[in-house]
Amino acid sequence: MASVFSIFFIPVKALLKPIKPHWWLTTLLWMVMASLASAAEVELRVAIQEDTDRVKIGSSTAAIVKDSNGQVIGELNPMDGFTAQSDYYGVSLAQWRAGQLWIEPENDGLVWIGDRWYRGRLLIMPTDEGITAINYVDIEHYLYSVVGGEMIPSWPLEALKAQAVSARSYALYHREKTADKIYDVGNDTFWQVYGGVEDEYVSTQQAVDATQGQILAYDGSIIEAVFHSSSGGHTENVEDIWSEPRPYLRAVPDYDQQAPVYQWTEVFSLADISELTEGVGNVLSIVPQEKTPQGRVRTLKITGDQGEKMITGAQLRKAIGLRSTLFTIQPLTAGDKATGAASFQVQGRGFGHGLGMSQYGAYAMASQGSTYQDILRHYYTDAYLARLRVAE
């Protein structure tokens, strides 16, 4: 699928009332020329199930079945369950077989994919390892669910609005980057949590509707507005966590001190990280070697009675399920050359990578009266609000 965004600058004050009279707010006009999108929506492609043998589908209303050429080849009865699977032709569903299949509910119906209901329509297409189910959904409807999956729906509306703008920006950023791939984003925590209508609430719909079309931009481009649960007191510069510097992802003080994940303690045994300690013998110590300016562990040295080994903080975090790499580590029992240390205690702060917006920080700011514009301005340095427009 070709990229659907082009951008150009025009004097827009006469066309659009400013979102809020802050000095940092600017407006851009985005022209969206998508063959699949109507003049009133931007369609996002979300992978729900990827490279699977089969997937359960259905529709809450009657649904049209189309082949890869867009020809109608059948109709699904409402509330009937079906199983799509890969076969010699590409995809099979009941009596229909084609290179790929579209399921398009009528009358604003919902589509059933796997074990949840989703808005929009469904494309089932073959891949090298089976079939992939892709939900084509209006981005605003997608955000109804994402905001509910990423934030607690009872939080202050201004925090939910900030999440809506961040999530919209993140999704559209990746839509541009993946224009030549079969989908734009996935549906799990690696991307953004998207659980269908089950995660929609009145409050999340209000937050999305109140910020409809608003995105974050820097130097004329949509930013990758990453976010996390809690930074542990201070966010990070992006180049200290990832390799590529980005001027809008800068370290700033956080306001997450009341978060339940602000401080935490974990205990793990050597058996928990056995794959990381191969070749060192009995482990005597695990000592951080390099940290970011805010204290996140980049590398650690594992010392044993038969050698040493360097691992990353991310590797240890993944191995034992730590909430972040902002931690200190100490043995609970003294190490010796005969047995090594039996277990280690990790004391840490925060949850997530520490880049961009802290969700608990946004909650705290909103609770103290900050607007969503204030929250976004704090966590995304020198980024500005822009408004998405669709070509008529």
Side-chain angles (χ1 to χ4, degrees):
M1 177 180 177
S3 173
V4 298
F5 288 133
S6 62
I7 181 170
F8 56 91
F9 292 91
I10 62 171
V12 294
K13 290 184 178 179
L15 301 179
L16 180 65
K17 183 178 180 181
I19 298 169
K20 192 175 177 67
H22 286 295
W23 64 268
W24 63 288
L25 297 183
T26 313
T27 309
L28 302 176
L29 181 65
W30 286 85
M31 288 290 287
V32 179
M33 297 169 289
S35 60
L36 294 177
S38 75
E41 65 180 23
V42 174
E43 214 169 26
L44 197 67
R45 305 171 300 170
V46 188
I48 306 300
Q49 292 194 18
E50 186 176 5
D51 297 328
T52 185
D53 291 334
R54 59 192 64 212
V55 59
K56 295 180 179 178
I57 68 164
S59 176
S60 65
T61 62
I64 300 300
V65 181
K66 295 180 179 179
D67 63 16
S68 55
N69 296 318
Q71 297 297 313
V72 176
I73 59 174
E75 181 175 313
L76 301 185
N77 293 324
M79 305 306 291
D80 281 353
F82 298 85
T83 298
Q85 56 191 356
S86 60
D87 72 357
Y88 176 81
Y89 297 94
V91 181
S92 67
L93 175 69
Q95 70 268 32
W96 305 293
R97 288 169 174 78
Q100 60 186 35
L101 291 173
W102 288 94
I103 310 299
E104 300 182 353
E106 298 180 326
N107 302 317
D108 295 322
L110 304 176
V111 62
W112 179 263
I113 311 172
D115 60 357
R116 289 172 179 259
W117 290 106
Y118 296 86
R119 296 175 184 265
R121 55 189 183 140
L122 169 64
L123 171 63
I124 309 167
M125 62 183 305
T127 56
D128 291 340
E129 299 180 28
I131 56 175
T132 293
I134 304 169
N135 181 205
Y136 279 60
V137 59
D138 174 70
I139 191 168
E140 303 300 316
H141 294 162
Y142 162 81
L143 293 169
Y144 287 166
S145 174
V146 167
V147 175
E150 289 288 353
M151 264 192 179
I152 298 174
S154 60
W155 279 9
L157 186 60
E158 294 302 303
L160 298 178
K161 289 180 184 178
Q163 181 67 73
V165 176
S166 296
R168 185 183 292 110
S169 304
Y170 179 90
L172 290 174
Y173 174 91
H174 283 281
R175 188 176 192 267
E176 280 289 90
K177 296 297 181 182
T178 59
D180 59 343
K181 298 181 180 179
I182 65 172
Y183 61 84
D184 303 315
V185 295
N187 67 337
D188 57 17
T189 54
F190 180 82
W191 301 92
Q192 299 184 127
V193 177
Y194 173 57
V197 297
E198 182 178 319
D199 287 341
E200 293 184 16
Y201 299 85
V202 171
S203 60
T204 67
Q205 293 177 347
Q206 289 175 336
V208 173
D209 291 345
T211 62
Q212 183 176 9
Q214 293 179 27
I215 55 174
L216 287 163
Y218 180 89
D219 195 25
S221 298
I222 298 177
I223 73 170
E224 187 178 16
V226 294
F227 50 86
H228 59 283
S229 178
S230 162
S231 74
H234 208 287
T235 70
E236 294 275 2
N237 291 323
V238 65
E239 64 269 21
D240 294 324
I241 303 298
W242 299 340
S243 58
E244 181 184 350
R246 299 184 186 180
Y248 51 84
L249 294 178
R250 315 312 300 160
V252 297
D254 201 1
Y255 304 103
D256 61 336
Q257 288 75 15
Q258 301 305 312
V261 290
Y262 181 73
Q263 292 184 314
W264 45 265
T265 300
E266 300 285 349
V267 175
F268 67 94
S269 69
L270 293 178
D272 295 328
I273 59 167
S274 59
E275 65 179 27
L276 301 180
T277 59
E278 292 180 2
V280 303
N282 293 316
V283 176
L284 305 177
S285 65
I286 302 177
V287 180
Q289 298 296 293
E290 185 182 12
K291 295 183 178 182
T292 69
Q294 303 304 326
R296 283 176 171 76
V297 176
R298 286 175 171 163
T299 59
L300 306 98
K301 181 195 290 184
I302 302 176
T303 302
D305 59 7
Q306 296 179 18
E308 297 178 344
K309 185 175 185 179
M310 297 293 292
I311 64 171
T312 66
Q315 285 176 310
L316 183 62
R317 180 189 178 192
K318 182 179 179 180
I320 59 175
L322 298 178
R323 292 177 176 87
S324 75
T325 57
L326 182 59
F327 62 78
T328 59
I329 184 170
Q330 60 184 11
L332 288 181
T333 56
D336 59 61
K337 290 187 177 181
T339 62
S343 60
F344 290 83
Q345 178 176 277
V346 179
Q347 292 183 312
R349 301 202 312 272
F351 194 168
H353 48 55
L355 298 175
M357 187 179 71
S358 160
Q359 292 168 317
Y360 273 100
Y363 166 81
M365 290 183 69
S367 298
Q368 294 298 314
S370 294
T371 66
Y372 76 96
Q373 296 101 325
D374 296 328
I375 295 168
L376 296 172
R377 177 175 55 179
H378 177 70
Y379 287 108
Y380 302 104
T381 304
D382 293 334
Y384 47 84
L385 280 179
R387 192 180 295 276
L388 186 72
R389 283 288 183 89
V390 180
E392 296 294 340

